[in-house]
Amino acid sequence: MTMVQPPRHRLGPLTVVSLLLAVFSLFIGPMPASAADPGSGTEVDSAAESGWWTPTARPEPDSQINVTGEPFKGTDAQGRVRGFVDAHDHIMSNEGFGGRLICGKAFSEQGVADALKDCPEHYPDGSLALFDMITKGGDGKHDPHGWPTFKDWPAHDSLTHQQNYYAWIERAWRGGQRVLVNDLVTNGVICSVYFFKDRGCDEMDAIRLEAKKTYEMQDFVDRMYGGPGKGWFRIVTSSAQAREVIEQGKLAVVLGVETSEPFGCKQILDVAQCSKADIDRGLDELKNLGVSSMFLCHKFDNALCGVRFDSGTLGTAINVGQFLSTGTFWKTETCRGPQRDNPIGNASAAQAEQQLPKGVSVPTYASGAQCNTRGLTGLGEYAVRGMMKRGMMLELDHMSVKAAGQAFDLLESASYPGVISSHSWMDMSWTERLYKLGGFIGRYMSGSEGFSAEAKDTDALREKYDVGLGYGTDMNGVGGWPGPRGADTPNPVTYPFRSADGGSVIDKQTTGERTWDFNTDGAAHYGMVPDWIEDIRIVGGQGVVDDLFAGAESYLRTWGNAEKHDPGRNLASGATVTASTTQWWNPFVSFAPGKSVDGDKATRWASEWKENQWLRIDLGSAKPVGRVTLDWEDAYAKSYRVELSQDGSTWRTAWSTDSGDGGLDTARFDITQARHVRIQGVQRGTDWGYSLREVGVYGG
């Protein structure tokens, strides 16, 4: 197909600074509150401990783990796995963005001194650490030397240095974590405008490289334990594999994707730069790489869906980046329901705006119009259906509320449970809608007070749907992490402390000459996850930790149900259909009732422009019916009923609504034997009649 060429603009240094502001929240959204405070305790020497969880050798030099005790295995008395779930992490993001945005590697055969090196341009004092200047403020200066002092990094507010060193992940595993979702991540626009890089900016190339490096890290850990399959870091591609790994007491690592232009699906001047064939090839490739979950859009509107906005000056900077990438700015409209995108506002980002072409300016947005006009596109719908067909889990975070609502409609029409909100970037009024489907939620790794409060807000829903809770650390994701609550807090983390299962003892973490104390350092790196959870126990109570500890079973339930999902046979396909009236105005186009069950969304039934019209489907014989899906054309019903009958004469209402808004509706009700199904329109939503592209009838 012929591609529309992007608008060309010369990018100056100020553009780089402006667009890099966008990266400040490129991977997540909320900035965390505080985390923990002072404590004391005896040092625990884990080096002398041995067991199946202890490697025969480590690279030299290396970090300490500072955890003793055997990791728990097996299941509980009810046969459920246990453990914490990090539903959103970026182990390999140092390989994205051209390779020089996040400094340091997750592992090295030469040990920690080689892995945790600063970026070359940060030497000798950080004067050229441009990204540091933007993400942390100030002049960016810092001590670039990691090993052995680690004077200035990693830190909870240092967003450019590797936080996912393998030994720190090992400490989190030893502390009770059993699932880690490693989201392969990059952004081509940020890569293209950043001065320092040592590779190209193609997003899919970066995804492939990060996947390759994750498998290499698995091999690296395996070698320390005697060979393939023997290490604790296990990449899994099915829920059954994950369950087996967790029952062995090891860490199940799930590959996900979070990028702005998956499969090359960007849009330029509102023209898609990919096709359905590109989506199929891309999804198949990701499955072959071992990817099990993904985002369809992230920060910039693309050919698949519109995004949830960022706010303030940052939002304006990202909006400029969107224009430079796509040729269009975000467009807003009055929200159609209670859900909202983040407000854009009209904040100035002068340096970014100066880089726009002459005569082009960032639009002014009305305060009452807070929702992105762009929802899920036809290609986006195709991608969602493709993910369902492949048993993949869809990440809703970063979708506009319009796109997320349409994605919910699709998932509900098929009763598909594979839906995830991993890091607090979905409108939380949709929590019950997600749980009804069978999905899983992780909250962003914020301070213990804020995290605990958010967890308690949805206690009743988790109890109602019998689900656990996850967290999304977003380490290496440039979001910021819990800072210390202060040395004088009255309820500090006291070292050493016991893990949530009670079987391990966790002391302060030491790497080289540096020892981190959560009370005074906060969540400086991934190894501090157990300390953060202990702080949540102290601040939020054991109930929050218990819900987190139930996360592994809930996550695997969502995944497993998605893998074995069967949408059922459409009982209406090819059935005999009649209607009260049929619109006629063109001898070359038919709107006959049967067009609503022919499997072709390009055709439709349309009634005359009157109230109280109906469409009736004869299933041929009585069958169990429990779900009816209705794909409305623009002429939709605001008020209508789904009615069932055994004989075609006596009807009972199975489901009704007075607040229809068009699009894709799913009516669920108790499974009932019926031969006839009738859609009875009561009130039109437009001045036209009623029109349905497709109707589906299912057993449940």
Side-chain angles (χ1 to χ4, degrees):
M1 59 180 293
T2 303
M3 296 295 188
V4 177
Q5 294 301 310
R8 298 178 179 272
H9 306 293
R10 183 174 296 277
L11 302 177
L14 291 179
T15 307
V16 176
V17 174
S18 310
L19 291 180
L20 286 175
L21 281 170
V23 184
F24 186 80
S25 75
L26 187 63
F27 308 108
I28 294 315
M31 292 295 294
S34 303
D37 287 349
S40 58
T42 7
E43 300 271 339
V44 176
D45 182 9
S46 58
E49 188 183 33
S50 64
W52 65 266
W53 58 93
T54 306
T56 55
R58 291 187 184 275
E60 291 288 346
D62 208 4
S63 171
Q64 295 182 37
I65 307 301
N66 308 104
V67 180
T68 58
E70 181 176 0
F72 58 89
K73 296 181 179 180
T75 59
D76 65 12
Q78 289 74 42
R80 300 172 299 197
V81 296
R82 299 156 294 161
F84 305 121
V85 174
D86 181 355
H88 195 103
D89 186 33
H90 302 290
I91 300 176
M92 298 297 170
S93 66
N94 59 290
E95 303 292 351
F97 310 99
R100 300 269 280 275
L101 204 66
I102 305 295
C103 307
K105 299 179 290 188
F107 69 98
S108 170
E109 298 285 358
Q110 286 73 51
V112 66
D114 179 66
L116 298 184
K117 287 181 177 178
D118 213 337
C119 291
E121 58 275 8
H122 288 198
Y123 291 87
D125 63 356
S127 294
L128 289 180
L130 300 181
F131 194 44
D132 261 29
M133 298 177 198
I134 293 165
T135 58
K136 196 173 180 179
D139 57 12
K141 290 187 177 181
H142 62 273
D143 180 356
H145 300 92
W147 180 269
T149 59
F150 292 101
K151 179 177 179 292
D152 289 336
W153 57 268
H156 73 91
D157 57 351
S158 175
L159 309 187
T160 65
H161 295 95
Q162 178 63 251
Q163 296 173 296
N164 279 306
Y165 184 59
Y166 93 93
W168 298 337
I169 297 175
E170 180 179 353
R171 175 179 163 91
W173 159 63
R174 293 284 301 276
Q177 186 168 305
R178 291 296 179 267
V179 176
L180 188 160
V181 180
N182 178 33
D183 282 319
L184 315 175
V185 65
T186 192
N187 181 281
V189 173
I190 299 303
C191 173
S192 67
V193 301
Y194 192 49
F195 290 117
F196 306 108
K197 50 182 164 285
D198 52 24
R199 64 198 63 167
C201 295
D202 182 271
E203 292 195 353
M204 290 304 293
D205 283 347
I207 296 307
R208 296 179 188 107
L209 176 60
E210 291 180 38
K212 177 175 179 287
K213 289 293 184 179
T214 308
Y215 282 99
E216 289 177 4
M217 181 165 158
Q218 178 177 252
D219 295 341
F220 166 79
V221 174
D222 279 352
R223 286 193 291 274
M224 287 191 285
Y225 285 80
K230 295 188 176 181
W232 53 268
F233 184 93
R234 313 301 323 147
I235 299 171
V236 295
T237 57
S238 72
S239 63
Q241 286 181 356
R243 192 171 294 276
E244 182 180 355
V245 163
I246 296 170
E247 288 179 358
Q248 293 171 358
K250 299 181 180 182
L251 179 69
V253 179
V254 183
L255 297 185
V257 166
E258 182 185 40
T259 189
S260 296
E261 298 167 6
F263 331 127
C265 281
K266 70 183 299 177
Q267 55 98 7
I268 298 174
L269 300 176
D270 292 319
V271 177
Q273 305 297 292
C274 68
S275 65
K276 290 180 178 179
D278 294 323
I279 292 169
D280 282 328
R281 279 193 299 269
L283 287 173
D284 287 341
E285 179 182 10
L286 292 182
K287 283 293 287 185
N288 289 334
L289 288 174
V291 172
S292 299
S293 66
M294 70 174 296
F295 296 77
L296 290 184
C297 50
H298 181 235
K299 296 304 178 184
F300 299 154
D301 293 341
N302 63 23
L304 305 178
C305 50
V307 294
R308 190 169 169 86
F309 305 132
D310 283 81
S311 300
T313 301
L314 175 62
T316 302
I318 294 177
N319 202 4
V320 170
Q322 153 130 343
F323 179 86
L324 296 178
S325 173
T326 69
T328 60
F329 292 106
W330 289 327
K331 297 176 184 177
T332 64
E333 64 183 6
T334 302
C335 299
R336 301 179 183 181
Q339 291 78 26
R340 297 286 185 271
D341 288 323
N342 298 320
I344 300 177
N346 296 300
S348 173
Q351 291 180 337
E353 293 173 80
Q354 288 172 10
Q355 305 311 310
L356 292 170
K358 187 176 180 179
V360 176
S361 59
V362 177
T364 298
Y365 294 97
S367 59
Q370 195 174 314
C371 282
N372 195 337
T373 61
R374 196 173 184 87
L376 198 66
T377 67
L379 286 173
E381 178 180 338
Y382 186 82
V384 172
R385 293 189 186 278
M387 291 181 68
M388 289 193 284
K389 184 165 60 175
R390 293 165 176 82
M392 299 175 74
M393 292 178 284
L394 174 67
E395 291 266 11
L396 287 183
D397 289 4
H398 292 298
M399 278 187 176
S400 68
V401 295
K402 188 173 184 178
Q406 292 168 319
F408 267 124
D409 289 344
L410 280 174
L411 299 168
E412 288 164 346
S413 72
S415 292
Y416 190 76
V419 56
I420 305 286
S421 172
S422 61
H423 63 328
S424 302
W425 205 250
M426 177 189 80
D427 190 301
M428 291 311 292
S429 67
W430 269 331
T431 297
E432 184 163 19
R433 193 174 182 185
L434 183 145
Y435 283 154
K436 276 184 178 179
L437 274 168
F440 182 82
I441 289 178
R443 302 295 293 160
Y444 187 75
M445 186 188 188
S446 57
S448 53
E449 301 100 327
F451 186 94
S452 299
E454 290 173 355
K456 290 175 181 178
D457 283 345
T458 50
D459 268 348
L461 286 176
R462 286 197 303 281
E463 183 175 355
K464 177 179 178 180
Y465 292 96
D466 189 26
V467 293
L469 180 64
Y471 49 81
T473 63
D474 194 33
M475 292 283 182
N476 287 0
V478 200
W481 297 275
R485 286 196 288 125
D488 57 351
T489 187
N491 55 345
V493 172
T494 301
Y495 293 93
F497 59 87
R498 289 254 173 209
S499 58
D501 65 292
S504 296
V505 177
I506 302 170
D507 204 357
K508 295 177 183 177
Q509 201 284 314
T510 296
T511 304
E513 298 172 3
R514 177 79 183 272
T515 296
W516 281 270
D517 181 329
F518 194 81
N519 299 298
T520 53
D521 296 311
H525 58 69
Y526 208 91
M528 305 304 287
V529 168
D531 311 56
W532 172 69
I533 291 173
E534 172 66 3
D535 199 51
I536 286 174
R537 185 191 67 78
I538 293 168
V539 171
Q542 186 63 41
V544 181
V545 177
D546 289 345
D547 280 2
L548 288 170
F549 204 58
E553 179 64 35
S554 287
Y555 183 87
L556 294 192
R557 191 188 310 154
T558 292
W559 191 2
N561 288 339
E563 291 171 314
K564 65 186 181 186
H565 172 257
D566 180 359
R569 182 171 70 89
N570 183 0
L571 304 175
S573 180
T576 300
V577 186
T578 55
S580 54
T581 61
T582 297
Q583 179 183 331
W584 188 93
W585 60 272
N586 185 331
F588 302 105
V589 179
S590 171
F591 298 111
K595 297 295 184 181
S596 65
V597 296
D598 63 358
D600 185 354
K601 291 188 64 172
T603 65
R604 61 189 174 97
W605 163 69
S607 77
E608 294 180 353
W609 294 10
K610 301 175 182 178
E611 304 287 11
N612 297 311
Q613 302 298 299
W614 52 261
L615 182 80
R616 187 170 108 177
I617 301 167
D618 183 348
L619 302 178
S621 62
K623 295 179 174 63
V625 176
R627 173 166 52 101
V628 174
T629 62
L630 304 106
D631 190 354
W632 295 98
E633 195 256 352
D634 291 343
Y636 67 93
K638 180 180 180 182
S639 176
Y640 68 96
R641 301 187 300 267
V642 175
E643 300 174 330
L644 305 178
S645 175
Q646 286 277 34
D647 57 10
S649 298
T650 304
W651 297 89
R652 60 174 291 269
T653 298
W655 185 92
S656 65
T657 183
D658 293 322
S659 56
D661 58 359
L664 183 59
D665 287 349
T666 299
R668 297 179 185 279
F669 41 86
D670 292 339
I671 294 177
T672 305
Q673 288 289 125
R675 173 174 173 170
H676 302 273
V677 178
R678 185 166 70 184
I679 316 304
Q680 176 65 61
V682 177
Q683 181 183 356
R684 292 173 290 167
T686 68
D687 290 334
W688 305 311
Y690 304 91
S691 184
L692 285 161
R693 294 188 179 97
E694 284 294 311
V695 177
V697 178
Y698 301 89

